[in-house]
Amino acid sequence: MTEELTAETGYVDVNGLQMYYEIRGSGQPLVLLHGAFSAIGTSFGKLLEGLAVNRQVVGFELQGHGHTADIDRPLTIEALAGDVAAAIDQLELGPADVFGYSTGAAVALQLVIRNPDAVRKLVLASVTYTLEGVHPGLMEGLGEMTPEMMHGSPWHEEYLRIARRPEDFPTLFAKKTQMDQQIEDVPAEAVRAIKAPTLLIIGDSDLVRPEHAVEIFRLLGGGVFGDTPAGLPNSQLAVLPGTSHVTLVNRAELLIPMITSFLDAPMPDAT
């Protein structure tokens, strides 16, 4: 199992939080930011081995998730991004490549907006910048869920196995629900101002509407005719066929060569 790869593990003290991390491989740092209710294993277990072949893969577990115990602070995308920025600084990883999935992608988006010097390249899987990017009615449905509905799921089982306080799952669920209700849209101007080359990835049957992914791609300079003298844009868009939100991170046969190729390509000349 890729989750059993030998890894350096530890905790970094950021903003009053003891944030857990795992490091595999060596080379250019690649920071991994997992999805909600998830941790390194359930979000990236099938990708770790392939991604760590020629780079230093650093997985963080966010506030209240996985090995990282919760603290007396609301769960917000902005605070999580601040934690990651501080951890990148303390571990001297920057500028790092950053791969965020789902909630982790939202955190990565705030990270590059607020701390652009911390990020070299960006991979955003299943990200939105406005709530209109999610299929209609989906967020309302998620808001009606209860913690018990997740019992027996891979994410709940992982939490019970690795959390420092397994009894805190209902608290995590309540904080995540409150966070969803208070998330604000990211201004289009902030997305347009991102300089880091960005690879956007969604499943063709994702939580994110395909039209929204194209909208973000255009804000990042994509959606142009690449056979002009100007050439290809710095950002890329991938839609994985036959892929849902949950199954996206299982598509290692597509993701590993795609992400590796994107990260290995030379950085564009500064303009």
Side-chain angles (χ1 to χ4, degrees), residues 63-78:
Q63 176 189 343
H65 290 75
H67 298 80
T68 301
D70 196 15
I71 58 174
D72 186 15
R73 182 184 74 175
L75 209 60
T76 69
I77 297 296
E78 294 79 9

Side-chain angles (χ1 to χ4, degrees), residues 108-162:
L109 183 60
Q110 284 294 332
L111 171 68
V112 75
I113 290 170
R114 292 164 176 260
N115 300 90
D117 292 341
V119 180
R120 190 185 78 108
K121 290 187 178 183
L122 195 59
V123 180
L124 300 176
S126 300
V127 75
T128 64
Y129 79 101
T130 69
L131 284 177
E132 290 183 353
V134 179
H135 287 287
L138 195 52
M139 294 304 293
E140 290 82 355
L142 293 174
E144 295 173 359
M145 288 182 63
T146 64
E148 291 74 20
M149 291 178 180
M150 294 194 68
H151 288 186
S153 70
W155 308 282
H156 185 247
E157 290 179 352
E158 178 186 48
Y159 187 89
L160 295 180
R161 187 173 70 252
I162 68 176

